[in-house]
Amino acid sequence: MRRLPPQNAEENLASLVALLPDLTEDLLNTVDQPLKVQTCAKSGKEYLLCEYNRDGNSYRSPWSNEFTPPLAEATYPSLRLRKLELAANEAFDTYRELYFEGGVSSVYLWDLDPGLGFAGVVLIKKVGDSSRRMKGAWDSVHVFEVIEKNRNATYRLTSTVMLYMVTSKPELDHMNLSGSMTRQAEQEYIVDDPSMHVANIGRMVEDMEIKLRHLLKDVYFGKTKDTVNNLRSVESLATKRRQQEMQREIASKLQERQPRTPL
């Protein structure tokens, strides 16, 4: 699944589930899919859907803390985490607007076993405006675990970025550039106040996204550029032939200048 285009992940996953129905839950929990957007009925704000805010067929809004469709019995974060979740959503909403100039972001937190801290996920989605016959999307999923011990906290982050760009122009024909990348990081910070968790997580997510952006630029765009340059010459064939003849002539002259060893 990691080798297949992200924009086709839902279709490919549905085919896998049809073939292996016994592994449905495992597949849904492990296969990364492009994020879907839904509007909160109470606040009117958009939020992202994923496995981490799903309970059955319902999804929890980070703004209203309510499930859609409503559930009689559902799991909610503790009051302490809910307060932290609201602060994190506000912070990453600002981060997304500054870095992506649009899109949708959501943060979800949940409690771990007593004494182990908490975990959460930061989701960001930006879809291209389909201008210039080009469409694409950026989906980033940052899953983190926070282990609290006295005044210190250890943060373990696993980040996945799914990127695709599709363009169709007469001069380029049809081109599909897509893929995904996953990286991990771990840091330890001093936490004097619970609100510092938001700043610490934000710093790690920001650094990771910058790192992944550079890697995507080097791996996908850099390799594609090298491949295209190898397949297509920007110089005429006559110029290439003259260069090759000049190289052969220089090599021949250098060989003639080398002293001959006596027999």
Side-chain angles (χ1 to χ4, degrees), residues 50-51 53-60 67 69 71 73-75:
C50 69
E51 285 302 303
N53 70 322
R54 181 176 71 90
D55 193 339
N57 294 322
S58 300
Y59 292 89
R60 183 173 66 88
F67 280 89
L71 287 177
E73 295 182 2
T75 302

Side-chain angles (χ1 to χ4, degrees), residues 110-121:
W110 58 91
D111 295 277
L112 298 177
D113 292 336
L116 293 181
F118 65 94
V121 63

Side-chain angles (χ1 to χ4, degrees), residues 27 29 45 62 71 79 96 126 163 177 192 210 220-221 236 242 248:
L27 289 169
N29 291 329
K45 294 183 177 181
L71 287 177
L79 293 177
R96 171 197 50 76
K126 174 65 184 291
L163 172 70
L177 184 62
D192 292 322
I210 292 173
Y220 292 121
F221 298 101
S236 65
R242 285 197 297 269
R248 285 194 294 267

Side-chain angles (χ1 to χ4, degrees), residues 84-145:
L84 199 62
E85 185 180 75
L86 285 171
N89 273 282
E90 293 290 347
F92 277 98
D93 203 40
T94 303
Y95 165 86
R96 171 197 50 76
E97 191 62 39
L98 290 173
Y99 271 90
F100 294 87
E101 298 180 353
V104 184
S105 63
S106 294
V107 182
Y108 302 102
L109 304 180
W110 58 91
D111 295 277
L112 298 177
D113 292 336
L116 293 181
F118 65 94
V121 63
V122 177
L123 310 172
I124 300 173
K125 184 180 185 70
K126 174 65 184 291
V127 179
D129 57 5
S130 300
S131 62
R132 302 177 182 178
R133 299 181 182 177
M134 180 183 295
K135 63 178 182 178
W138 168 287
D139 294 85
S140 56
V141 180
H142 305 275
V143 183
F144 57 88
E145 184 181 67

Side-chain angles (χ1 to χ4, degrees), residues 148-160:
E148 298 171 307
K149 188 175 182 181
N150 299 326
R151 293 178 60 245
N152 294 338
T154 301
Y155 301 83
R156 300 189 181 112
L157 176 68
T158 301
S159 299
T160 299

